[in-house]
Amino acid sequence: MTGRRIVSIWFPHFAMERWQWRQAQHRRQASPSAGEAAEDAAPLVLAREGPHGPVIHDVNAAARAADMRPGARVTDMRALIPDLVVAKAVPDQDAADLVRLAHWAQRWCPWTRVDGADALLLDTTGSDHLHGGEAAMLRDMKRICAGLGLTARLALAPTIGAAWALARHGGNGTICSPGGMADALAPLPAAALRLDAGTVLLLRRLGLKTIGSLAKVPREAMVRRFRRIEVPTCNPVIRLDQAMGRTREPLVSVQERAPLRVLRRLAEPLGDLDGLERILTDLAGDLCAVMGDSEAGARGLRFTAFRVDGVALTAAAATSRATRDSAHIVRLFAGKLDRLDPGFGVDSAALAVVDGEALIALQDDLTGETKEALAMAQLVDQLSARLGEDAVMRPVSLGSHIPERGEVFRSAVRPVKAGDYPVQRLGRAPLRLLGSPEPADVIHAVPEGPPARFRWRRKLHDVVRAQGPERIAPEWWREPGRSRLRDYYRVEDDQGRRFWLYREGLLSDGRGGRPAWFVHGLDV
């Protein structure tokens, strides 16, 4: 038996209610003084394309009273009601709204996800005490959804399957205990197991109309009958095991992993920037205490303010090294909060670590180098937060001995990629490395010896000293069949200027063509 607590929030009229909300928003923008229109006065349906013409996607209250249901053909319904109003459904916008609601629902718990096209799933295990208990939490969910203009049916149970079934076919607001799942699910129809229509019809023909009657059938007989079916929606044995908690069904949240996160609920909604700054300061202190207990530090942070109208406002910040300094975290969001619009007010807010690292307590050494390094990292963080992540760069060593491939510049606050690692070169690199090697005409005393004279950028240089070669083998796995080795020379001309040249290829390497010379760096 599972110890989880899952909440299913089903919006049976989500498409229509979101369409009506968008229409109301358009009217307000066009005429702020305009009153609310009565969309339910006349039968209204949303239509989508079907295999044989437009079909009903969702209906308003008046159309529902006229016995119109999703899936019916629009032409047939117009024959019954000539003044039927038909609008085009927008499933893409509905899906985007539902994803936003899934993020916004993290006000109750950190694990939320979209369930189909009209529902949410929340893993509230261990979170209900923050909201006054499970019953109070469900009442709060129902109240807030109603304030958003959404009809919601809710249920709380130990499994996803049980919560899904009770939200759609049980009483609204049902709370199911771990020991009461069998009794709570028994009277529900077989369709409550999330089975497809064909399987439900088959079970009905067999006389198995409810979950209770299905559970009474010997398990061996059911397994034998459906053993070859691996699709859960077509296999009642799998669905029954999931609903009863005999088979674990994971809830994959919109959040990739559970972050270090703190949440504050406000007694009164805040509608000004000063209020957001105060709550961010409080959250930063709370989060640093949590990170201290976990010996963790933040590399990426996200501040989320939950508006009373169902909009989640977010601001993000990143650091060049892990930190749990609350004052520094607050400074990272300077200039970001004023871009957030509190609208009608913010009634709760959260601060989460979206990218973190282990961070143990540091102690300054006698020279103070630890303190100086930390101050430098904080300066980089503040510049990046103010100017943008790509405005402050740092060199990163890559896994290549070829100089132009061995080092790149990347954002100073983004973590090093897994494939990046330093390569130790035998020779010393020049003070200035050119962006790309530049061709040079070289005269040498012996065919494979150092250069005696070379022309570069239309200027002739006489070599008085040379050191080398330093040979770098070709990366044959990148350029198979045509890559050639390089012999690098460090040379000094008669004016005291030092250059880093290399010869690409040898006459005897069998790669074809004469060796070519390039200038790759300067020591001036």
Side-chain angles (χ1 to χ4, degrees), residues 271-278 336-340 342:
D272 59 345
L273 178 61
D274 292 338
L276 290 180
E277 292 176 346
R278 288 195 301 272
K336 296 178 182 286
L337 298 186
D338 54 3
R339 304 172 193 169
L340 306 182

Side-chain angles (χ1 to χ4, degrees), residues 296-307:
R299 286 293 306 273
L301 296 144
R302 182 173 63 238
F303 173 73
T304 306
F306 301 97
R307 282 189 352 194

Side-chain angles (χ1 to χ4, degrees), residues 27-370:
R27 285 195 299 271
R28 290 194 193 98
Q29 293 175 1
S31 177
S33 61
E36 294 293 329
E39 289 92 348
D40 289 343
L44 168 67
V45 300
L46 300 179
R48 57 179 173 82
E49 287 300 320
H52 304 290
V55 298
I56 294 178
H57 181 66
D58 204 355
V59 300
N60 70 348
R64 208 160 36 248
D67 203 26
M68 294 187 179
R69 296 292 181 265
R73 295 181 60 189
V74 173
T75 54
D76 296 338
M77 296 300 102
R78 269 187 169 150
L80 298 175
I81 304 178
D83 59 346
L84 177 66
V85 180
V86 180
K88 184 178 180 180
V90 281
D92 292 343
Q93 292 187 26
D94 296 338
D97 287 346
L98 196 59
V99 171
R100 283 193 288 270
L101 279 176
H103 286 282
W104 179 76
Q106 291 179 355
R107 62 192 293 131
W108 291 297
C109 62
W111 293 96
T112 62
R113 77 166 171 88
V114 169
D115 181 25
D118 55 3
L120 300 176
L121 287 173
L122 291 72
D123 189 340
T124 61
T125 308
S127 300
D128 59 282
H129 71 281
L130 300 173
H131 311 283
E134 293 181 341
M137 181 177 64
L138 289 188
R139 287 196 297 270
D140 187 45
M141 292 178 180
K142 190 183 299 184
R143 175 185 60 82
I144 292 180
C145 289
L148 299 177
L150 295 172
T151 302
R153 291 183 58 87
L154 301 90
L156 192 153
T159 65
I160 293 176
W164 192 97
L166 292 169
R168 289 158 177 78
H169 301 276
N172 193 2
T174 299
I175 299 177
C176 179
S177 63
M181 280 200 298
D183 293 337
L185 296 178
L188 303 184
L193 289 177
R194 298 175 292 167
L195 297 169
D196 66 331
T199 304
V200 172
L201 179 60
L202 173 62
L203 294 176
R204 183 180 296 273
R205 289 174 177 172
L206 296 175
L208 305 174
K209 299 181 180 180
T210 64
I211 296 178
S213 61
L214 182 62
K216 293 178 181 179
V217 176
R219 182 178 176 81
E220 294 78 6
M222 294 295 294
V223 170
R224 233 180 1 254
R225 173 64 178 80
F226 295 98
R227 68 181 184 275
R228 297 182 183 275
I229 301 178
E230 298 181 359
V231 180
T233 56
C234 301
N235 192 322
V237 180
I238 295 177
R239 285 306 199 194
L240 186 61
D241 287 346
Q242 289 175 341
M244 295 299 181
R246 294 190 287 264
T247 298
R248 185 169 179 82
E249 185 179 5
L251 192 156
V252 182
S253 175
V254 292
Q255 186 73 34
E256 293 183 357
R257 56 188 175 87
L260 296 169
R261 180 176 182 266
V262 291
L263 173 72
R264 286 213 173 191
R265 298 169 63 85
L266 309 177
E268 295 291 337
L270 296 176
D272 59 345
L273 178 61
D274 292 338
L276 290 180
E277 292 176 346
R278 288 195 301 272
I279 192 171
L280 173 62
T281 302
D282 295 338
L283 288 171
D286 296 344
L287 184 61
C288 288
V290 172
M291 289 191 291
D293 294 338
S294 304
E295 292 190 345
R299 286 293 306 273
L301 296 144
R302 182 173 63 238
F303 173 73
T304 306
F306 301 97
R307 282 189 352 194
V308 296
D309 59 352
V311 176
L313 309 173
T314 61
T319 65
S320 59
R321 60 184 293 177
T323 182
R324 56 171 177 260
D325 184 341
S326 61
H328 179 53
I329 290 174
V330 173
R331 286 194 296 268
L332 292 179
F333 287 92
K336 296 178 182 286
L337 298 186
D338 54 3
R339 304 172 193 169
L340 306 182
D341 179 16
F344 296 104
V346 171
D347 62 356
S348 58
L351 183 63
V353 177
V354 295
D355 183 20
E357 295 177 359
L359 179 64
I360 59 175
L362 297 177
Q363 180 178 357
D364 290 344
D365 56 20
L366 295 178
T367 64
E369 292 182 358
T370 303

